Amino acid sequence: MKYLSTRDNSLKKSFNEILYQGLSKDGGLYLPVEWPNIDIHNLENKSYEDVALEIIFPFVKENFSKGELQNILNESYSTFSHEKKAPVKELQTNKYILELIYGPTYAFKDYALQFLGKLFSYSLIKNPKKITVLGATSGDTGSAAIHAFKTNQDINVFILHPHGKVSPMQQKQMTTVNEENIFNIAIEGNFDDCQKIVKTLFIDDEIQNKTSLTAINSINWARLIAQVVYYFWSHLQIKNKDINFIVPSGNFGNIFSAYVAKKMGLPINRLHVATNKNDILKSIITHGQMNKKIVSQTFSPSMDIQISSNFERQMFESFDRDSNQVNNAFNEFNKTGSYQFSSSVIDNFKKIYDASSINDDETLDTISKIFKKYNYISDPHTATGFKLLMDKNDDETWVSLACAHPAKFNTAVEKAIGKATDIPIELSNLFDKKENMTILPNNIQEVKNYLLQNI
Ligand SMILES: *Cc1c(COP(=O)(O)O)cnc(C)c1O
């Protein structure tokens, strides 16, 4: 499989060449030149890891043997605490939850980042070098990445999070890992500020000359392919139905993986983008308006994003893979702060996606209703999707994704249902541990200096 860039569709990179890179030099994101086709019948009665093997292998086969990939996958998911890894649970007829909370840091990010960690380790054995992981997090990616890379001394990890804007549990999960290769940076700004700093440093020559910078944000293609697996896995558990998926969304990584699954042959009916008050995705999909907006803080911090990086991949697809149009759109967006998609492109978005957004009150109300009706405690991100799941009243099959364990967001849970949820022992142990982080201003030069001093 070769890879092109959303801003240069003539590019033909190998998987190894894009593995450590987030952005292409032209500023675009990588996509495969074509979609492999998967015959679902060949996946039946296989384990999660073996299903993953069939789905991921076509994307990596020039650089990893099937045996290597099998080992990588077995190691990636060995620590997950549910035998099914990503179980589908039935709430009522035709309404299901896909639970993605059984990895080491209790959010869906583990499904991709544990894989990425092992993939890097195998790759570094074959081609030894020191690499620097640089990422921005709205809370869950950071801890998942830190836990995936903490034992690999060939990899230094710098994670930027918005200071004071992640949940206390999310912060503890990141800052209590006392390893020499882990650097937590709290930026005095919001997530979009963190993401912007990271993107700028990725194309900074001085840094590139000193180290091999590696992206672990959801713009990294390898993360997206690991996420494709659980959409197929849901189908295998529910069987014989055109499924509609509801995906709580921020950076558009998780739901884009569902789109990839659809392209690879999974019978998906519609994809529903659920957001909190930060509703840029809703305004793009329903009206074609991409405007720069201010980020609001909500009970679902991992979705407090107004610039959804992975949406560029969908733009490229909806522009019929014409990278000129992607370039033009971003030139205009960067100049004026807004871009209006044409009606034919909006129609294309709408053929695939629906979108909705709910505010904090509705989030709490949904957590409370779900608890009363099903005795199920959902986290606030998951609730943005569950609101829709509750409202659905048709004969179709709906699967809503549970993206994080509610114990990570107990303040909101307690407000909603009057009590906190039980905290898994691995999380409650964190409260006594010493935190390590460096607070820096929202300033690219200062972060760059810190990086140069510490790599
Ligand atoms: C990251 C995250 C999201 C958003 O996922 P994207 O891939 O960025 O769209 C939603 N919920 C939780 C709990 C998350 O950690």
Side-chain angles (χ1 to χ4, degrees):
M1 182 67 72
K2 291 285 185 242
Y3 293 87
L4 48 70
S5 154
T6 50
R7 302 202 192 178
D8 178 3
N9 59 11
S10 66
L11 214 65
K12 284 200 168 58
K13 297 251 184 185
S14 70
F15 181 72
N16 258 357
E17 285 174 289
I18 70 157
L19 173 59
Y20 294 115
Q21 283 176 30
L23 284 181
S24 175
K25 278 261 180 290
D26 49 43
L29 305 183
Y30 295 114
L31 276 176
V33 294
E34 64 192 6
W35 302 113
N37 200 51
I38 297 285
D39 183 351
I40 299 166
H41 301 291
N42 293 340
L43 303 178
E44 277 160 23
N45 303 317
K46 282 187 160 44
S47 65
Y48 186 86
E49 291 85 346
D50 287 350
V51 167
L53 183 65
E54 297 305 319
I55 290 166
I56 297 175
F57 187 57
F59 291 107
V60 306
K61 65 182 178 198
E62 278 89 7
N63 302 114
F64 290 86
S65 71
K66 212 161 190 179
E68 280 171 334
L69 184 60
Q70 178 90 69
N71 291 339
I72 289 169
L73 289 163
N74 290 346
E75 287 175 29
S76 301
Y77 299 109
S78 64
T79 55
F80 282 53
S81 63
H82 196 288
E83 56 166 356
K84 282 196 182 149
K85 316 302 177 193
V88 170
K89 296 187 175 164
E90 188 177 37
L91 276 185
Q92 68 180 64
T93 310
N94 288 336
K95 294 188 182 185
Y96 300 87
I97 316 170
L98 167 60
E99 285 188 326
L100 302 171
I101 58 174
Y102 296 103
T105 70
Y106 299 88
F108 85 85
K109 304 295 198 294
D110 288 323
Y111 291 76
L113 279 162
Q114 284 294 315
F115 171 69
L116 202 64
K118 303 298 177 216
L119 201 60
F120 282 6
S121 297
Y122 270 76
S123 171
L124 288 174
I125 290 169
K126 289 197 280 187
N127 305 298
K129 60 174 172 177
K130 279 220 175 261
I131 62 172
T132 302
V133 161
L134 174 64
T137 185
S138 53
D140 292 327
T141 292
S143 54
I146 287 167
H147 286 263
F149 298 114
K150 65 182 176 190
T151 50
N152 193 327
Q153 292 307 323
D154 293 325
I155 306 178
N156 278 326
V157 183
F158 293 83
I159 299 292
L160 278 60
H161 73 264
H163 185 39
K165 295 194 171 75
V166 299
S167 85
M169 188 68 87
Q170 288 179 312
Q171 182 174 320
K172 286 270 177 192
Q173 282 183 296
M174 292 191 280
T175 58
T176 57
V177 176
N178 286 317
E179 297 282 342
E180 269 177 23
N181 65 328
I182 304 293
F183 300 87
N184 277 289
I185 305 172
I187 296 291
E188 290 167 328
N190 60 37
F191 172 73
D192 286 348
D193 297 325
C194 297
Q195 188 158 248
K196 184 162 177 217
I197 295 173
V198 166
K199 279 191 172 178
T200 311
L201 293 178
F202 262 96
I203 45 177
D204 184 286
D205 288 334
E206 196 182 347
I207 298 230
Q208 291 289 3
N209 289 338
K210 289 247 164 60
T211 184
S212 181
L213 264 196
T214 297
I216 47 81
N217 276 81
S218 63
I219 51 175
N220 181 300
W221 176 249
R223 273 186 64 176
L224 297 195
I225 51 180
Q227 293 170 180
V228 173
V229 176
Y230 47 69
Y231 291 101
F232 277 90
W233 187 241
S234 307
H235 176 90
L236 292 164
Q237 290 176 75
I238 299 172
K239 296 218 163 80
N240 298 337
K241 282 172 180 164
D242 277 340
I243 297 175
N244 298 279
F245 284 102
I246 302 170
V247 186
S249 294
N251 228 354
F252 210 75
N254 204 356
I255 197 160
F256 191 78
S257 294
Y259 172 85
V260 174
K262 193 174 157 93
K263 283 286 175 188
M264 292 172 75
L266 183 67
I268 290 177
N269 188 16
R270 296 190 70 72
L271 294 174
H272 199 113
V273 181
T275 70
N276 61 27
K277 203 173 150 201
N278 297 291
D279 62 353
I280 182 82
L281 288 168
K282 183 181 163 195
S283 78
I284 296 176
I285 288 163
T286 52
H287 311 295
Q289 284 166 354
M290 183 163 77
N291 295 330
K292 279 207 176 119
K293 289 190 183 178
I294 309 281
V295 179
S296 311
Q297 236 181 305
T298 71
F299 285 133
S300 37
S302 303
M303 292 160 55
D304 290 348
I305 294 173
Q306 289 284 33
I307 299 172
S308 296
S309 296
N310 279 292
F311 196 76
E312 177 165 345
R313 291 189 157 109
Q314 186 55 53
M315 283 167 67
F316 180 74
E317 289 287 291
S318 295
F319 282 144
D320 256 341
R321 300 202 141 208
D322 177 355
S323 41
N324 284 332
Q325 290 196 54
V326 177
N327 280 309
N328 292 342
F330 278 107
N331 284 342
E332 191 177 326
F333 181 71
N334 291 334
K335 229 188 282 159
T336 64
S338 79
Y339 180 77
Q340 174 67 47
F341 290 95
S342 71
S343 56
S344 64
V345 174
I346 301 172
D347 286 347
N348 187 280
F349 294 156
K350 284 187 179 165
K351 253 188 220 151
I352 311 160
Y353 300 102
D354 292 299
S356 64
S357 82
I358 68 173
N359 64 27
D360 268 351
D361 287 343
E362 291 168 302
T363 304
L364 296 186
D365 187 52
T366 303
I367 297 174
S368 155
K369 280 190 177 139
I370 291 273
F371 179 61
K372 281 187 193 130
K373 190 159 180 195
Y374 304 109
N375 197 27
Y376 188 92
I377 299 180
S378 59
D379 94 279
H381 306 76
T382 302
T384 62
F386 277 5
K387 164 88 170 83
L388 258 134
L389 189 69
M390 297 276 281
D391 291 347
K392 287 294 164 196
N393 194 5
D394 54 31
D395 295 335
E396 297 193 22
T397 302
W398 289 90
V399 178
S400 199
L401 275 59
C403 297
H405 193 291
K408 292 182 86 164
F409 306 96
N410 246 335
T411 314
V413 170
E414 201 166 348
K415 272 202 169 76
I417 65 171
K419 63 169 187 183
T421 189
D422 293 342
I423 301 178
I425 183 87
E426 291 83 358
L427 292 181
S428 58
N429 282 345
L430 300 181
F431 277 101
D432 304 327
K433 287 199 181 163
K434 190 177 160 294
E435 288 193 69
N436 264 317
M437 67 176 179
T438 304
I439 302 168
L440 291 179
N442 176 18
N443 178 299
I444 292 167
Q445 191 60 43
E446 296 230 15
V447 179
K448 181 172 163 181
N449 293 344
Y450 180 83
L451 230 71
L452 290 171
Q453 280 158 17
N454 289 288
I455 48 184

